[in-house]
Amino acid sequence: QVQLAESGGGMVQAGGSLRLSCAASGRTFSGYAMGWFRQAPGKEREYVVGISWSGVKTYYVESVKGRFTISRDNAKSTVYLQMNSLKPEDTAVYYCAADLGLNSDYVGPLYEYHYWGQGTQVTVSS
């Protein structure tokens, strides 16, 4: 089992940037597909970005394409979410997720994650 710990959330004005980090421990990080989800008050959890275990494949929900970038550093067992040009509608609790993904590079919208972090709040003011 892998444990996940997010950091880097906070409050920023619209147009600003934040970088979220998710540190993994407990298992070999390099074999895990990693993703970020978000949940705004009163809304369902949304799959935002994902990166395959190999780093070859990524997924971005349409609303963040061109603004968010996911990356991973296997040596540090950490995945990052760089968020630029933030908008008030990006306000949410952001959750890191992981799943053992050695069988495939697929991390599209139907991919299922089984390990979750506690979440970090991102607030974008207008």
Side-chain angles (χ1 to χ4, degrees), residues 99-111:
D99 201 66
L100 194 59
L102 290 175
N103 291 331
S104 171
D105 272 326
Y106 176 78
V107 286
L110 299 180
Y111 191 78

Side-chain angles (χ1 to χ4, degrees), residues 34-69:
M34 302 296 296
W36 289 93
F37 289 70
R38 66 186 179 187
Q39 188 166 22
K43 295 187 177 181
E44 293 187 355
R45 185 175 61 191
E46 177 184 40
Y47 181 25
V48 181
V49 299
I51 186 166
S52 65
W53 70 275
S54 66
V56 171
K57 295 291 188 181
T58 57
Y59 165 80
Y60 294 89
V61 70
E62 190 65 33
S63 60
V64 307
K65 285 181 180 178
R67 301 189 298 121
F68 290 13
T69 303

